[in-house]
Amino acid sequence: MTTKEKRKQNVQQSFEERMEYDELLNCMRCGFCLPSCPTYLETNRNEAASPRGRIALIKGVVDGVIEPDQDFEDQLNMCLGCRACEPVCPSGVNYGHILEEARDILESNKKRTAPEKAVRWFAFDKLFPHHQNMVRVNSLLWFYQSSGIQSVVRKSGVMKLFPENMQTMEKVLPPIPKPSELKSRPTHLNAEAEQKARVAFFSGCLMDTMFMKTNDATLSLLQKAGCEIVVPENQACCGALHGHSGEKDSAKALAKRNIEAFESLEVDYIILNAGGCGAFLVDYGHLLKDEPQWAERAKAFSEKIKDISEVLVEMDFHKKDLRLPNRIATYQDSCHLRNVMRTHTAPRKLLSSIEGVEFVELKEADHCCGSAGIYNLVQEEMSMQILDHKMEKVRDISPQVIVTANPGCLLQMKMGIEREGLGDQMEAVHLVDLLLEAVQ
């Protein structure tokens, strides 16, 4: 038996042993998921690029009638993992769980080149799990922006050596915080109004470095809403990128670190401001379901997770005096915030409560923007195709502000504005940054 044949046999066996067959059978092939699936629509309704099509492919591998070859793997990798299929599924199929398990099986048996191993080792083992390493990389970006190197690089044309979407992403990166600002992050804050709750804040990895200003805005809003805030120093990356990329063991390790960091705190909620993180945090119960010593602890942790918008509405923040100069604003849903955490009304209520802001609903705001973690880097063509169609809907209503609730979505919409040459007409902002500007 050749090495290639042995690998296929191992993959086949892993699919048979690890996939929940009853979950695969739950798919009735009704097709309700099809209109909600971006890749199905973008591939001219290719059945294999739909949720039910991918479930059928996985079932075919489990049954031994389909080989887990490269075409099979490519089809799974094309999926954004937006999970828009789940809210519309009448059978309640947990497609996201099926996809992550399948990707983990493939990754566990994949033979990667040395450069690929090095990149994954750096990203998944050394960068995201370690806050200090995130700070170091952030410091390099700050130096790149503040030293004049960025201007030289742009004028020299060096960026033309990179893929087009990376060139655009470099243009839309936010101003990076100074290294000194990252060394004095708060761990406890008192409420500025009458205290209504004691909460913990999940600061995240990218959010507490590259998007530190948005985290600061979140903390300020919570204080103004009447929250005492605790920020555990020993918390870690949520593990979403690991879980979505076939690094399940690493995702579990990060989940355990976070559970330990938060479970002893006597708080009403664990608050976050990134939909992608939130969706993974509320799934810790599933992630650790096979580990008896962690399953209940994970469930208790996940039950306290809430998005900042939900908490603000619960505390009547939308009834405060919120004002901005006249502008038209729209809202692009974070897929995971809407489809997994089921939060979509609260952000719109908050936006609509700002005097001076005319809120206009974006057609297909619930459709993915094409960011999906690192999808816009590893599946550039499909990501940009989805983004271009998203921007067509944006042009139809011509807002001055596109509001989002996730860092990846925010960068993606900034890329869309840049690609369309609309930078002098509109901007993309995180919801909490706009709310902080509006509060009087």
Side-chain angles (χ1 to χ4, degrees), residues 2 45-46 84 90 133 167 177 191 194 200 208 237 276-277 304 335 361 374 383 402-403 411 418 436:
T2 66
R45 293 169 169 74
N46 176 8
N133 288 344
Q167 296 177 41
E194 178 186 353
D208 214 42
C237 168
C277 296
K304 289 190 174 184
C335 292
E361 187 67 47
I374 58 172
S383 174
I402 304 173
V403 183
L411 286 177
E418 177 71 23
L436 186 62

Side-chain angles (χ1 to χ4, degrees), residues 147-167:
S147 65
I149 294 176
Q150 183 179 51
S151 178
V152 172
V153 167
R154 289 179 176 179
K155 290 178 181 178
S156 69
V158 170
M159 288 304 301
K160 293 180 181 179
L161 299 174
F162 293 89
E164 182 181 349
N165 66 334
M166 289 190 70
Q167 296 177 41

Side-chain angles (χ1 to χ4, degrees), residues 50 80 297 332:
S50 72
L80 293 133
R297 295 164 70 182
Q332 166 60 31

Side-chain angles (χ1 to χ4, degrees), residues 107-127:
E107 183 57 38
S108 299
N109 292 276
K110 192 174 185 65
K111 182 176 176 58
R112 291 195 174 273
T113 64
E116 287 175 332
K117 288 180 181 178
V119 170
R120 292 180 72 89
W121 169 81
F122 174 73
F124 295 127
D125 294 344
K126 295 300 177 183
L127 181 58

Side-chain angles (χ1 to χ4, degrees), residues 78-363:
M78 188 193 291
C79 179
L80 293 133
C82 68
R83 297 173 70 168
C85 50
E86 293 185 13
V88 299
C89 178
S91 299
V93 175
N94 292 306
Y95 174 79
H97 297 165
I98 293 172
L99 179 67
E100 285 178 8
E101 191 69 18
R103 284 178 171 173
D104 186 64
I105 292 170
L106 292 172
E107 183 57 38
S108 299
N109 292 276
K110 192 174 185 65
K111 182 176 176 58
R112 291 195 174 273
T113 64
E116 287 175 332
K117 288 180 181 178
V119 170
R120 292 180 72 89
W121 169 81
F122 174 73
F124 295 127
D125 294 344
K126 295 300 177 183
L127 181 58
F128 288 104
H130 303 287
H131 182 71
Q132 285 306 311
N133 288 344
M134 291 290 295
V135 170
R136 292 185 182 102
V137 171
N138 188 87
S139 298
L140 291 175
L141 286 173
W142 170 80
F143 182 74
Y144 171 72
Q145 286 185 341
S146 61
S147 65
I149 294 176
Q150 183 179 51
S151 178
V152 172
V153 167
R154 289 179 176 179
K155 290 178 181 178
S156 69
V158 170
M159 288 304 301
K160 293 180 181 179
L161 299 174
F162 293 89
E164 182 181 349
N165 66 334
M166 289 190 70
Q167 296 177 41
T168 308
M169 189 172 290
E170 188 272 343
K171 293 179 182 178
V172 302
L173 284 177
I176 305 299
K178 296 178 182 179
S180 58
E181 293 179 295
L182 297 173
K183 292 180 180 179
S184 56
R185 304 299 293 140
T187 58
H188 181 269
L189 295 164
N190 291 317
E192 291 181 0
E194 178 186 353
Q195 185 170 324
K196 298 178 181 179
R198 174 181 161 89
V199 303
F201 180 57
F202 184 84
S203 52
C205 45
L206 276 178
M207 290 306 301
D208 214 42
T209 48
M210 184 182 294
F211 295 94
M212 186 199 75
K213 296 298 183 184
T214 300
N215 266 7
D216 288 345
T218 302
L219 294 172
S220 181
L221 290 178
L222 288 171
Q223 286 181 285
K224 294 177 186 301
C227 292
E228 178 190 359
I229 311 163
V230 182
V231 188
E233 291 184 271
N234 53 339
Q235 61 180 291
C237 168
C238 68
L241 286 177
H242 299 76
H244 301 329
S245 303
E247 299 283 344
K248 191 173 182 180
D249 287 343
S250 296
K252 285 183 175 182
L254 290 167
K256 292 171 185 177
R257 283 176 58 186
N258 283 320
I259 292 168
E260 288 178 332
F262 284 88
E263 65 182 351
S264 63
L265 304 177
E266 295 181 3
V267 294
D268 300 299
Y269 307 118
I270 299 171
I271 310 299
L272 49 86
N273 56 17
C277 296
F280 203 71
L281 294 173
V282 299
D283 258 355
Y284 274 6
H286 173 78
L287 182 67
L288 298 172
K289 64 182 175 61
D290 295 326
E291 300 190 32
Q293 70 273 33
W294 286 98
E296 287 302 316
R297 295 164 70 182
K299 182 180 177 183
F301 172 89
S302 294
E303 286 174 350
K304 289 190 174 184
I305 298 295
K306 268 203 171 184
D307 183 70
I308 173 69
S309 62
E310 292 281 8
V311 174
L312 291 178
V313 169
E314 184 176 310
M315 296 185 176
D316 291 332
F317 192 85
H318 58 294
K319 296 179 181 179
K320 287 183 178 290
D321 184 10
L322 305 174
R323 283 177 284 161
L324 285 172
N326 290 344
R327 64 187 75 177
I328 299 172
T330 194
Y331 180 72
Q332 166 60 31
D333 284 287
S334 156
C335 292
H336 286 134
L337 183 60
R338 183 183 183 105
N339 301 325
V340 183
M341 296 185 72
R342 306 299 169 94
T343 294
H344 53 88
T345 302
R348 289 168 168 82
K349 181 173 286 190
L350 289 164
L351 279 174
S352 299
S353 69
I354 303 174
E355 184 180 339
V357 169
E358 178 187 351
F359 175 69
V360 180
E361 187 67 47
L362 178 65
K363 186 178 180 181

